[in-house]
Coordinates of all heavy atoms in Angstrom, one line a residue:
M1432 N -68.3 75.1 -34.4 CA -67.6 73.9 -34.1 C -66.1 74.1 -34.4 O -65.8 75.0 -35.2 CB -68.2 72.8 -35.0 CG -67.8 71.4 -34.6 SD -68.2 71.0 -32.8 CE -70.0 71.2 -32.8
D1433 N -65.3 73.4 -33.7 CA -63.9 73.5 -33.9 C -63.3 72.7 -35.0 O -63.9 71.8 -35.5 CB -63.2 73.1 -32.5 CG -63.6 74.0 -31.4 OD1 -63.8 75.2 -31.6 OD2 -63.6 73.5 -30.3
A1434 N -62.1 73.1 -35.4 CA -61.4 72.3 -36.5 C -60.1 71.8 -35.8 O -59.7 72.3 -34.8 CB -61.1 73.2 -37.7
I1435 N -59.5 70.8 -36.5 CA -58.3 70.2 -36.0 C -57.3 70.3 -37.1 O -57.6 70.0 -38.3 CB -58.5 68.8 -35.5 CG1 -57.2 68.2 -35.0 CG2 -59.0 67.9 -36.6 CD1 -57.4 66.9 -34.3
K1436 N -56.1 70.8 -36.8 CA -55.0 70.9 -37.8 C -53.8 70.1 -37.3 O -53.4 70.3 -36.2 CB -54.6 72.4 -38.0 CG -55.6 73.2 -38.7 CD -55.1 74.6 -39.0 CE -56.1 75.4 -39.7 NZ -55.7 76.8 -39.9
Q1437 N -53.4 69.2 -38.1 CA -52.2 68.4 -37.8 C -51.0 69.0 -38.4 O -50.9 69.4 -39.5 CB -52.4 67.0 -38.4 CG -51.3 66.0 -38.0 CD -51.5 64.7 -38.6 OE1 -52.5 64.5 -39.3 NE2 -50.6 63.8 -38.3
R1438 N -49.9 69.2 -37.5 CA -48.7 69.8 -38.0 C -47.5 69.0 -37.7 O -47.4 68.3 -36.7 CB -48.5 71.2 -37.2 CG -49.6 72.2 -37.5 CD -49.4 73.5 -36.8 NE -50.5 74.4 -36.9 CZ -50.7 75.2 -37.9 NH1 -49.8 75.2 -38.9 NH2 -51.7 76.0 -38.0
L1439 N -46.6 69.0 -38.7 CA -45.3 68.3 -38.6 C -44.3 69.4 -39.0 O -44.3 69.8 -40.2 CB -45.2 67.1 -39.4 CG -43.9 66.3 -39.4 CD1 -43.5 65.9 -38.0 CD2 -43.9 65.1 -40.3
Y1440 N -43.4 69.8 -38.2 CA -42.4 70.8 -38.5 C -43.1 72.0 -39.1 O -42.7 72.6 -40.1 CB -41.4 70.2 -39.5 CG -40.7 69.0 -39.0 CD1 -41.0 67.8 -39.6 CD2 -40.0 69.0 -37.8 CE1 -40.4 66.6 -39.1 CE2 -39.4 67.8 -37.3 CZ -39.6 66.6 -38.0 OH -39.1 65.5 -37.5
N1441 N -44.2 72.5 -38.5 CA -44.9 73.7 -38.8 C -45.6 73.6 -40.2 O -45.9 74.7 -40.8 CB -44.0 74.9 -38.7 CG -43.7 75.2 -37.3 OD1 -44.5 75.0 -36.4 ND2 -42.5 75.7 -37.0
Q1442 N -45.7 72.4 -40.8 CA -46.4 72.3 -42.1 C -47.8 71.8 -41.8 O -48.0 70.8 -41.0 CB -45.7 71.4 -43.0 CG -44.3 71.9 -43.4 CD -43.6 70.9 -44.3 OE1 -44.0 69.7 -44.4 NE2 -42.6 71.4 -45.0
N1443 N -48.8 72.4 -42.4 CA -50.2 71.9 -42.2 C -50.3 70.6 -43.0 O -50.1 70.6 -44.2 CB -51.2 73.0 -42.7 CG -52.6 72.6 -42.3 OD1 -52.8 71.9 -41.4 ND2 -53.5 73.2 -43.1
I1444 N -50.7 69.5 -42.3 CA -50.9 68.2 -43.0 C -52.3 67.9 -43.1 O -52.7 67.4 -44.2 CB -50.2 67.1 -42.1 CG1 -48.7 67.4 -42.1 CG2 -50.4 65.8 -42.7 CD1 -47.9 66.5 -41.1
H1445 N -53.1 68.1 -42.1 CA -54.5 67.6 -42.2 C -55.4 68.5 -41.4 O -55.0 69.0 -40.4 CB -54.6 66.2 -41.6 CG -55.8 65.5 -41.9 ND1 -56.1 64.9 -43.1 CD2 -57.0 65.3 -41.2 CE1 -57.3 64.3 -43.1 NE2 -57.8 64.6 -42.0
E1446 N -56.6 68.7 -41.8 CA -57.6 69.6 -41.1 C -58.9 68.9 -41.2 O -59.3 68.4 -42.2 CB -57.7 70.9 -41.8 CG -58.6 71.9 -41.0 CD -58.6 73.3 -41.6 OE1 -57.6 73.6 -42.3 OE2 -59.6 74.0 -41.3
L1447 N -59.6 68.8 -40.0 CA -60.9 68.2 -39.9 C -61.8 69.1 -39.1 O -61.3 69.7 -38.1 CB -60.8 66.8 -39.2 CG -60.5 65.6 -40.0 CD1 -60.4 64.4 -39.0 CD2 -61.4 65.3 -41.1
K1448 N -63.0 69.2 -39.4 CA -64.0 69.9 -38.6 C -64.5 68.9 -37.5 O -64.9 67.8 -37.8 CB -65.1 70.4 -39.4 CG -66.1 71.2 -38.7 CD -67.2 71.7 -39.6 CE -68.2 72.6 -38.9 NZ -69.3 73.0 -39.8
L1449 N -64.4 69.3 -36.2 CA -64.9 68.5 -35.2 C -66.4 68.6 -35.1 O -66.9 69.7 -35.1 CB -64.3 68.9 -33.8 CG -62.8 68.6 -33.7 CD1 -62.3 69.1 -32.3 CD2 -62.4 67.2 -33.9
G1450 N -67.1 67.5 -34.9 CA -68.5 67.6 -34.7 C -68.9 66.3 -33.9 O -68.0 65.6 -33.5
P1451 N -70.2 66.1 -33.7 CA -70.6 64.9 -33.0 C -70.0 63.7 -33.6 O -69.9 63.5 -34.8 CB -72.1 64.9 -33.2 CG -72.5 66.4 -33.4 CD -71.3 66.9 -34.2
G1452 N -69.6 62.7 -32.7 CA -69.0 61.5 -33.2 C -67.6 61.4 -32.8 O -67.1 62.0 -31.8
T1453 N -66.8 60.5 -33.5 CA -65.5 60.1 -33.1 C -64.5 60.2 -34.3 O -64.9 60.0 -35.4 CB -65.5 58.6 -32.6 OG1 -66.4 58.5 -31.6 CG2 -64.2 58.2 -32.2
I1454 N -63.3 60.7 -33.9 CA -62.2 60.7 -34.9 C -61.1 59.8 -34.3 O -60.6 60.1 -33.2 CB -61.7 62.1 -35.1 CG1 -62.8 63.0 -35.7 CG2 -60.4 62.1 -36.0 CD1 -62.4 64.5 -35.7
S1455 N -60.6 58.8 -35.0 CA -59.6 58.0 -34.6 C -58.2 58.4 -35.1 O -58.1 58.9 -36.3 CB -59.8 56.5 -35.0 OG -59.9 56.4 -36.4
L1456 N -57.2 58.3 -34.3 CA -55.8 58.7 -34.7 C -54.9 57.6 -34.5 O -54.9 56.9 -33.4 CB -55.4 59.9 -33.9 CG -56.3 61.1 -33.9 CD1 -57.1 61.2 -32.7 CD2 -55.4 62.4 -34.0
G1457 N -54.0 57.3 -35.4 CA -53.0 56.3 -35.2 C -52.3 55.9 -36.5 O -52.5 56.5 -37.6
R1458 N -51.4 54.9 -36.4 CA -50.6 54.5 -37.5 C -51.3 53.6 -38.5 O -51.0 53.6 -39.7 CB -49.3 53.8 -37.0 CG -48.1 53.8 -37.9 CD -46.9 53.2 -37.3 NE -47.1 51.8 -37.0 CZ -47.1 51.3 -35.7 NH1 -46.9 52.1 -34.7 NH2 -47.2 50.0 -35.5
A1459 N -52.3 52.9 -38.0 CA -53.1 52.0 -38.9 C -53.8 52.8 -40.0 O -54.3 53.9 -39.7 CB -54.0 51.1 -38.1
E1460 N -54.0 52.2 -41.1 CA -54.6 52.9 -42.3 C -56.1 53.1 -42.0 O -56.7 53.9 -42.7 CB -54.4 52.1 -43.6 CG -52.9 52.2 -44.0 CD -52.7 51.6 -45.3 OE1 -53.6 51.2 -46.0 OE2 -51.5 51.4 -45.7
N1461 N -56.7 52.3 -41.1 CA -58.2 52.5 -40.9 C -58.6 53.6 -40.0 O -59.7 53.7 -39.6 CB -58.8 51.1 -40.5 CG -58.3 50.6 -39.2 OD1 -57.3 51.1 -38.7 ND2 -59.0 49.7 -38.6
N1462 N -57.6 54.4 -39.5 CA -57.9 55.6 -38.7 C -58.4 56.7 -39.6 O -58.0 56.8 -40.7 CB -56.6 56.0 -37.9 CG -56.3 55.1 -36.8 OD1 -57.0 54.9 -35.9 ND2 -55.2 54.3 -37.0
N1463 N -59.2 57.6 -39.0 CA -59.6 58.8 -39.7 C -58.4 59.7 -40.0 O -58.3 60.3 -41.0 CB -60.6 59.6 -38.8 CG -61.9 58.8 -38.6 OD1 -62.1 58.4 -37.5 ND2 -62.7 58.6 -39.6
I1464 N -57.5 59.8 -39.0 CA -56.2 60.5 -39.2 C -55.1 59.5 -39.1 O -54.8 58.9 -38.0 CB -56.0 61.7 -38.2 CG1 -57.1 62.7 -38.4 CG2 -54.6 62.3 -38.5 CD1 -57.0 63.9 -37.5
N1465 N -54.5 59.2 -40.2 CA -53.4 58.2 -40.3 C -52.0 58.9 -40.1 O -51.7 59.8 -40.9 CB -53.4 57.5 -41.6 CG -52.3 56.5 -41.8 OD1 -51.4 56.7 -42.5 ND2 -52.4 55.4 -41.0
I1466 N -51.3 58.5 -39.1 CA -50.0 59.2 -38.8 C -48.9 58.1 -39.0 O -48.8 57.2 -38.3 CB -50.0 59.7 -37.4 CG1 -51.1 60.7 -37.2 CG2 -48.6 60.3 -37.0 CD1 -51.3 61.1 -35.7
T1467 N -48.1 58.3 -40.0 CA -47.0 57.4 -40.3 C -45.8 57.8 -39.5 O -44.9 58.4 -40.0 CB -46.7 57.4 -41.8 OG1 -46.4 58.7 -42.3 CG2 -47.9 56.8 -42.6
D1468 N -45.7 57.3 -38.3 CA -44.6 57.6 -37.4 C -44.5 56.4 -36.5 O -45.5 56.0 -35.8 CB -45.0 58.9 -36.5 CG -44.0 59.3 -35.5 OD1 -43.1 58.4 -35.1 OD2 -44.0 60.4 -35.0
K1469 N -43.3 55.8 -36.4 CA -43.1 54.6 -35.6 C -43.3 54.9 -34.1 O -43.5 53.9 -33.3 CB -41.7 54.0 -35.8 CG -41.6 53.5 -37.2 CD -40.2 52.8 -37.4 CE -40.2 52.3 -38.9 NZ -38.9 51.7 -39.1
G1470 N -43.4 56.1 -33.7 CA -43.6 56.5 -32.3 C -45.1 56.5 -32.0 O -45.5 56.8 -30.8
V1471 N -45.9 56.3 -33.0 CA -47.4 56.3 -32.8 C -47.9 54.9 -32.9 O -47.6 54.2 -33.8 CB -48.0 57.2 -33.9 CG1 -49.6 57.2 -33.9 CG2 -47.5 58.7 -33.8
S1472 N -48.8 54.5 -32.0 CA -49.4 53.2 -32.0 C -50.4 53.1 -33.1 O -50.9 54.1 -33.7 CB -50.1 52.9 -30.7 OG -49.1 52.9 -29.6
A1473 N -50.7 51.8 -33.5 CA -51.6 51.6 -34.6 C -53.0 52.2 -34.3 O -53.5 52.9 -35.2 CB -51.8 50.1 -34.8
H1474 N -53.5 52.1 -33.2 CA -54.7 52.8 -32.7 C -54.4 53.6 -31.5 O -54.5 53.0 -30.4 CB -55.9 51.8 -32.5 CG -56.2 51.1 -33.8 ND1 -55.8 49.9 -34.1 CD2 -57.0 51.5 -34.9 CE1 -56.2 49.5 -35.3 NE2 -56.9 50.5 -35.8
H1475 N -53.9 54.8 -31.6 CA -53.2 55.5 -30.6 C -54.2 56.3 -29.7 O -54.1 56.2 -28.5 CB -52.2 56.5 -31.2 CG -51.2 57.1 -30.3 ND1 -49.9 56.7 -30.2 CD2 -51.4 58.0 -29.3 CE1 -49.3 57.3 -29.3 NE2 -50.1 58.2 -28.7
A1476 N -55.1 57.1 -30.3 CA -56.0 57.9 -29.5 C -57.3 58.2 -30.3 O -57.4 57.8 -31.5 CB -55.3 59.3 -29.3
R1477 N -58.2 58.7 -29.6 CA -59.5 59.0 -30.2 C -60.0 60.3 -29.7 O -59.9 60.7 -28.5 CB -60.5 57.9 -29.7 CG -61.9 58.0 -30.3 CD -62.8 56.9 -29.9 NE -62.2 55.6 -30.4 CZ -62.2 54.5 -29.7 NH1 -62.7 54.5 -28.5 NH2 -61.7 53.4 -30.2
I1478 N -60.5 61.1 -30.6 CA -61.2 62.4 -30.3 C -62.7 62.2 -30.4 O -63.1 61.6 -31.5 CB -60.7 63.5 -31.2 CG1 -59.2 63.8 -31.0 CG2 -61.5 64.8 -30.9 CD1 -58.6 64.8 -31.9
F1479 N -63.4 62.5 -29.4 CA -64.9 62.3 -29.5 C -65.6 63.6 -29.0 O -65.1 64.3 -28.1 CB -65.4 61.1 -28.8 CG -64.9 60.9 -27.4 CD1 -65.7 61.3 -26.3 CD2 -63.6 60.5 -27.1 CE1 -65.3 61.1 -25.0 CE2 -63.2 60.3 -25.8 CZ -64.1 60.7 -24.7
T1480 N -66.7 63.9 -29.6 CA -67.5 65.1 -29.3 C -68.9 64.7 -28.9 O -69.5 64.0 -29.6 CB -67.5 66.0 -30.5 OG1 -66.1 66.4 -30.8 CG2 -68.2 67.3 -30.1
Y1481 N -69.3 65.2 -27.7 CA -70.7 65.0 -27.3 C -71.2 66.4 -27.1 O -70.6 67.2 -26.4 CB -70.7 64.2 -26.0 CG -70.3 62.8 -26.1 CD1 -69.2 62.3 -25.5 CD2 -71.1 61.9 -26.9 CE1 -68.8 61.0 -25.6 CE2 -70.7 60.6 -27.0 CZ -69.6 60.1 -26.4 OH -69.2 58.8 -26.5
F1482 N -72.4 66.6 -27.7 CA -73.0 68.0 -27.7 C -71.9 69.0 -28.2 O -71.5 68.8 -29.3 CB -73.5 68.3 -26.3 CG -74.6 67.3 -25.8 CD1 -74.3 66.3 -24.9 CD2 -75.8 67.4 -26.4 CE1 -75.2 65.4 -24.5 CE2 -76.8 66.5 -26.0 CZ -76.5 65.5 -25.1
N1483 N -71.5 69.9 -27.4 CA -70.5 70.9 -27.9 C -69.1 70.8 -27.2 O -68.3 71.7 -27.2 CB -71.0 72.3 -27.7 CG -72.1 72.6 -28.7 OD1 -72.1 72.2 -29.8 ND2 -73.1 73.4 -28.3
T1484 N -68.9 69.6 -26.6 CA -67.6 69.4 -25.9 C -66.8 68.3 -26.5 O -67.4 67.2 -26.8 CB -67.9 69.1 -24.4 OG1 -68.6 70.1 -23.8 CG2 -66.6 69.0 -23.6
S1485 N -65.5 68.5 -26.8 CA -64.7 67.5 -27.4 C -63.6 67.0 -26.4 O -63.2 67.8 -25.6 CB -64.0 68.1 -28.7 OG -64.9 68.4 -29.7
Y1486 N -63.3 65.8 -26.5 CA -62.3 65.1 -25.6 C -61.3 64.4 -26.5 O -61.6 63.9 -27.6 CB -63.1 64.1 -24.8 CG -64.2 64.6 -24.0 CD1 -65.5 64.8 -24.5 CD2 -64.0 64.9 -22.6 CE1 -66.5 65.2 -23.8 CE2 -65.1 65.4 -21.9 CZ -66.3 65.6 -22.4 OH -67.4 66.0 -21.7
I1487 N -60.1 64.2 -25.9 CA -59.1 63.3 -26.5 C -58.9 62.2 -25.5 O -58.8 62.5 -24.2 CB -57.8 64.1 -26.7 CG1 -56.7 63.1 -27.3 CG2 -57.2 64.8 -25.5 CD1 -56.7 62.9 -28.7
A1488 N -58.8 61.0 -25.9 CA -58.6 59.8 -25.1 C -57.4 59.0 -25.6 O -57.4 58.7 -26.8 CB -59.8 59.0 -25.0
D1489 N -56.5 58.7 -24.8 CA -55.4 57.7 -25.2 C -56.0 56.3 -25.1 O -56.7 56.0 -24.2 CB -54.2 57.9 -24.2 CG -53.1 57.0 -24.6 OD1 -52.3 57.4 -25.5 OD2 -52.9 55.9 -24.0
L1490 N -55.6 55.5 -26.1 CA -56.1 54.1 -26.2 C -55.0 53.2 -25.7 O -54.8 52.2 -26.4 CB -56.6 53.8 -27.7 CG -57.6 54.8 -28.2 CD1 -58.0 54.4 -29.7 CD2 -58.9 54.7 -27.4
D1491 N -54.4 53.4 -24.6 CA -53.4 52.6 -24.0 C -52.2 52.5 -25.0 O -51.7 51.4 -25.2 CB -53.9 51.2 -23.6 CG -54.9 51.4 -22.5 OD1 -54.7 52.2 -21.6 OD2 -55.9 50.6 -22.5
S1492 N -51.8 53.6 -25.6 CA -50.7 53.6 -26.6 C -49.4 53.3 -25.9 O -49.3 53.5 -24.6 CB -50.7 54.9 -27.3 OG -50.4 56.0 -26.3
T1493 N -48.4 52.9 -26.6 CA -47.1 52.6 -26.0 C -46.4 53.8 -25.5 O -45.9 53.8 -24.4 CB -46.2 51.9 -27.1 OG1 -46.9 50.7 -27.5 CG2 -44.9 51.6 -26.6
N1494 N -46.4 54.9 -26.3 CA -45.7 56.1 -26.0 C -46.5 57.2 -25.4 O -46.0 58.3 -25.0 CB -44.9 56.6 -27.2 CG -43.9 55.6 -27.6 OD1 -43.2 55.1 -26.8 ND2 -43.8 55.4 -28.9
G1495 N -47.8 57.1 -25.2 CA -48.7 58.0 -24.6 C -49.2 59.1 -25.5 O -48.7 59.3 -26.6
T1496 N -50.1 59.8 -25.0 CA -50.7 61.0 -25.7 C -50.5 62.2 -24.7 O -50.8 62.1 -23.5 CB -52.3 60.8 -25.9 OG1 -52.4 59.6 -26.7 CG2 -52.9 62.0 -26.5
F1497 N -50.1 63.3 -25.3 CA -49.7 64.5 -24.6 C -50.6 65.7 -25.0 O -50.8 65.9 -26.2 CB -48.3 64.9 -24.7 CG -47.3 63.8 -24.2 CD1 -47.0 62.7 -24.9 CD2 -46.8 64.0 -22.9 CE1 -46.2 61.7 -24.3 CE2 -45.9 63.1 -22.4 CZ -45.6 61.9 -23.1
L1498 N -51.1 66.4 -24.0 CA -52.0 67.6 -24.2 C -51.2 68.7 -23.6 O -51.1 68.7 -22.3 CB -53.4 67.4 -23.7 CG -54.3 68.6 -23.9 CD1 -54.6 68.8 -25.4 CD2 -55.6 68.3 -23.1
N1499 N -50.8 69.7 -24.4 CA -50.1 70.8 -23.8 C -48.9 70.4 -23.0 O -48.7 70.8 -21.9 CB -51.0 71.8 -23.0 CG -52.1 72.3 -23.9 OD1 -51.9 72.6 -25.1 ND2 -53.3 72.4 -23.3
N1500 N -48.2 69.4 -23.5 CA -46.9 68.8 -22.9 C -47.2 68.0 -21.6 O -46.2 67.7 -20.9 CB -45.9 69.9 -22.7 CG -45.3 70.4 -24.0 OD1 -45.1 69.6 -24.9 ND2 -45.1 71.7 -24.1
K1501 N -48.4 67.7 -21.3 CA -48.7 66.8 -20.1 C -49.3 65.5 -20.6 O -50.3 65.5 -21.4 CB -49.7 67.5 -19.2 CG -49.1 68.7 -18.5 CD -50.1 69.4 -17.6 CE -49.5 70.6 -17.0 NZ -50.5 71.4 -16.2
K1502 N -48.8 64.4 -20.1 CA -49.3 63.1 -20.5 C -50.7 62.9 -19.9 O -51.0 63.2 -18.8 CB -48.4 62.0 -20.0 CG -48.7 60.6 -20.5 CD -47.7 59.6 -20.2 CE -47.9 58.3 -20.8 NZ -46.9 57.3 -20.5
I1503 N -51.7 62.5 -20.8 CA -53.1 62.4 -20.4 C -53.6 61.0 -20.7 O -53.1 60.3 -21.6 CB -54.0 63.5 -21.0 CG1 -53.9 63.5 -22.6 CG2 -53.6 64.9 -20.5 CD1 -55.0 62.7 -23.2
H1504 N -54.7 60.6 -20.1 CA -55.5 59.5 -20.5 C -56.7 59.9 -21.2 O -57.1 59.4 -22.3 CB -55.8 58.6 -19.3 CG -56.6 57.4 -19.6 ND1 -56.0 56.3 -20.4 CD2 -57.9 57.0 -19.4 CE1 -57.0 55.4 -20.6 NE2 -58.1 55.8 -20.0
K1505 N -57.4 60.8 -20.6 CA -58.6 61.4 -21.2 C -58.7 62.9 -20.7 O -58.6 63.1 -19.6 CB -59.9 60.6 -20.9 CG -61.1 61.2 -21.6 CD -62.3 60.2 -21.5 CE -63.1 60.5 -20.3 NZ -64.4 59.7 -20.2
H1506 N -59.0 63.8 -21.7 CA -59.1 65.2 -21.3 C -60.0 66.0 -22.3 O -60.0 65.6 -23.4 CB -57.7 65.8 -21.3 CG -57.6 67.0 -20.3 ND1 -58.0 68.2 -20.7 CD2 -57.0 67.1 -19.1 CE1 -57.7 69.1 -19.7 NE2 -57.2 68.4 -18.7
I1507 N -60.6 67.0 -21.8 CA -61.4 67.9 -22.6 C -60.3 68.7 -23.5 O -59.3 69.1 -23.0 CB -62.2 68.9 -21.8 CG1 -63.3 68.1 -21.1 CG2 -62.8 70.0 -22.7 CD1 -64.1 69.0 -20.1
I1508 N -60.7 69.0 -24.7 CA -59.8 69.8 -25.6 C -60.5 71.1 -26.0 O -61.7 71.1 -26.1 CB -59.3 69.0 -26.8 CG1 -60.5 68.4 -27.6 CG2 -58.3 68.0 -26.4 CD1 -60.1 67.7 -28.9
H1509 N -59.7 72.2 -26.1 CA -60.2 73.5 -26.5 C -59.3 74.1 -27.6 O -58.2 73.7 -27.8 CB -60.1 74.4 -25.2 CG -60.8 73.9 -24.0 ND1 -62.1 74.0 -23.9 CD2 -60.3 73.3 -22.9 CE1 -62.5 73.5 -22.7 NE2 -61.4 73.0 -22.1
P1510 N -59.9 75.1 -28.3 CA -59.0 75.8 -29.3 C -57.8 76.3 -28.6 O -57.8 76.8 -27.5 CB -59.9 77.0 -29.7 CG -61.3 76.4 -29.6 CD -61.2 75.6 -28.3
G1511 N -56.6 76.2 -29.3 CA -55.3 76.6 -28.7 C -54.6 75.4 -28.1 O -53.3 75.5 -27.9
D1512 N -55.2 74.3 -27.8 CA -54.5 73.1 -27.2 C -53.7 72.5 -28.3 O -54.0 72.5 -29.5 CB -55.5 72.1 -26.7 CG -56.2 72.5 -25.4 OD1 -55.7 73.4 -24.7 OD2 -57.2 71.9 -25.0
I1513 N -52.6 71.9 -27.8 CA -51.7 71.1 -28.7 C -51.7 69.7 -28.2 O -51.3 69.4 -27.1 CB -50.2 71.7 -28.6 CG1 -50.2 73.2 -29.0 CG2 -49.3 70.9 -29.5 CD1 -50.4 73.5 -30.4
I1514 N -52.0 68.8 -29.1 CA -51.9 67.3 -28.9 C -50.7 66.8 -29.5 O -50.4 67.1 -30.7 CB -53.2 66.6 -29.5 CG1 -54.5 67.1 -28.8 CG2 -53.0 65.1 -29.3 CD1 -55.7 66.7 -29.5
R1515 N -49.9 66.0 -28.8 CA -48.7 65.4 -29.4 C -48.8 63.9 -29.3 O -49.1 63.3 -28.3 CB -47.5 65.8 -28.7 CG -46.2 65.3 -29.3 CD -44.9 66.0 -28.8 NE -44.8 66.0 -27.3 CZ -44.4 65.0 -26.6 NH1 -44.0 63.9 -27.1 NH2 -44.3 65.1 -25.3
L1516 N -48.6 63.3 -30.5 CA -48.6 61.8 -30.7 C -47.3 61.5 -31.4 O -47.1 61.9 -32.5 CB -49.7 61.3 -31.5 CG -51.2 61.7 -31.2 CD1 -52.1 61.3 -32.2 CD2 -51.6 61.2 -29.8
G1517 N -46.4 60.8 -30.7 CA -45.1 60.6 -31.3 C -44.4 61.9 -31.6 O -44.3 62.8 -30.8
H1518 N -43.9 62.1 -32.9 CA -43.3 63.3 -33.3 C -44.3 64.3 -34.0 O -43.9 65.3 -34.5 CB -42.2 63.0 -34.3 CG -41.1 62.2 -33.7 ND1 -40.1 62.8 -32.8 CD2 -40.8 60.9 -33.8 CE1 -39.3 61.8 -32.4 NE2 -39.7 60.7 -33.0
H1519 N -45.6 64.0 -33.9 CA -46.6 64.8 -34.6 C -47.3 65.7 -33.5 O -47.7 65.2 -32.5 CB -47.6 64.0 -35.3 CG -47.1 63.4 -36.6 ND1 -46.0 62.6 -36.7 CD2 -47.5 63.7 -37.9 CE1 -45.8 62.3 -38.0 NE2 -46.7 62.9 -38.7
S1520 N -47.5 66.9 -33.9 CA -48.3 67.8 -33.1 C -49.6 68.2 -33.8 O -49.6 68.4 -35.0 CB -47.6 69.1 -32.7 OG -46.5 68.8 -31.9
I1521 N -50.7 68.2 -33.1 CA -52.0 68.5 -33.6 C -52.5 69.7 -32.9 O -52.7 69.6 -31.6 CB -53.0 67.3 -33.5 CG1 -52.4 66.1 -34.3 CG2 -54.3 67.7 -34.0 CD1 -53.1 64.8 -34.0
K1522 N -52.8 70.8 -33.5 CA -53.3 72.0 -32.9 C -54.8 72.1 -33.1 O -55.2 72.0 -34.2 CB -52.6 73.3 -33.4 CG -53.0 74.5 -32.8 CD -52.3 75.7 -33.2 CE -52.7 76.9 -32.4 NZ -52.0 78.2 -32.8
I1523 N -55.5 72.3 -32.0 CA -56.9 72.5 -32.1 C -57.1 74.0 -32.3 O -56.6 74.8 -31.6 CB -57.6 72.1 -30.8 CG1 -57.2 70.6 -30.4 CG2 -59.1 72.3 -30.8 CD1 -57.7 69.6 -31.4
T1524 N -57.9 74.3 -33.4 CA -58.2 75.7 -33.7 C -59.7 75.8 -33.9 O -60.4 74.8 -34.0 CB -57.5 76.1 -35.0 OG1 -58.1 75.3 -36.1 CG2 -56.0 75.9 -35.0
D1525 N -60.2 77.0 -33.8 CA -61.6 77.2 -34.1 C -61.8 77.2 -35.6 O -60.8 77.2 -36.4 CB -62.2 78.5 -33.4 CG -61.5 79.8 -33.9 OD1 -61.2 79.8 -35.1 OD2 -61.5 80.7 -33.2
K1526 N -63.0 77.0 -36.0 CA -63.3 76.8 -37.4 C -62.9 77.9 -38.3 O -62.7 77.7 -39.5 CB -64.8 76.5 -37.6 CG -65.7 77.6 -37.3 CD -67.1 77.3 -37.5 CE -68.0 78.5 -37.2 NZ -69.4 78.2 -37.3
D1527 N -62.7 79.1 -37.8 CA -62.4 80.3 -38.6 C -60.9 80.5 -38.8 O -60.4 81.4 -39.4 CB -63.0 81.5 -38.0 CG -64.5 81.4 -38.0 OD1 -65.1 80.8 -38.9 OD2 -65.1 81.9 -37.0
S1528 N -60.0 79.6 -38.1 CA -58.6 79.8 -38.2 C -58.0 79.2 -39.5 O -58.5 78.3 -40.1 CB -57.9 79.1 -37.1 OG -58.2 79.7 -35.9

């Protein structure tokens, strides 16, 4: 299974192992990954995994969700992909990274 590493200015902030289910991302404290950035909506995006495939979905955020510098609504994610929410970048890595 893959892991997720959140980076701000090349500093590792958060790491989660992706598995079946959902990971919420946003500024609100009730998200699995809380991002304190005014450019990030309260409930900005969601990562969900079905079987062995993970997806990122924008939740109609104000500033959008970017995957590898392209604005997306919903997209499959793979190790090596970079998700950007506001000023935060989240790099998808495999579990051994």
Side-chain angles (χ1 to χ4, degrees):
M1432 197 52 62
D1433 296 327
I1435 183 171
K1436 290 184 180 180
Q1437 181 180 4
R1438 297 183 186 276
L1439 176 62
Y1440 308 113
N1441 291 326
Q1442 294 179 346
N1443 189 25
I1444 297 172
H1445 194 81
E1446 183 174 339
L1447 278 177
K1448 184 177 181 182
L1449 294 181
T1453 302
I1454 299 169
S1455 60
L1456 304 100
R1458 205 174 63 246
E1460 291 183 13
N1461 64 343
N1462 287 292
N1463 299 108
I1464 297 178
N1465 178 253
I1466 302 171
T1467 54
D1468 178 341
K1469 291 183 181 181
V1471 174
S1472 296
H1474 296 98
H1475 195 105
R1477 182 175 300 137
I1478 295 173
F1479 52 100
T1480 302
Y1481 293 113
F1482 301 102
N1483 288 325
T1484 304
S1485 295
Y1486 304 82
I1487 177 87
D1489 183 78
L1490 301 177
D1491 296 323
S1492 64
T1493 302
N1494 294 317
T1496 299
F1497 294 81
L1498 180 65
N1499 301 323
N1500 291 318
K1501 293 181 183 176
K1502 191 171 185 177
I1503 57 97
H1504 179 70
K1505 183 167 92 174
H1506 205 281
I1507 293 174
I1508 54 177
H1509 303 281
D1512 285 343
I1513 305 287
I1514 297 167
R1515 184 169 49 84
L1516 310 173
H1518 296 283
H1519 283 62
S1520 294
I1521 299 169
K1522 182 175 184 181
I1523 305 299
T1524 63
D1525 63 32
K1526 66 180 180 184
D1527 298 325
S1528 293

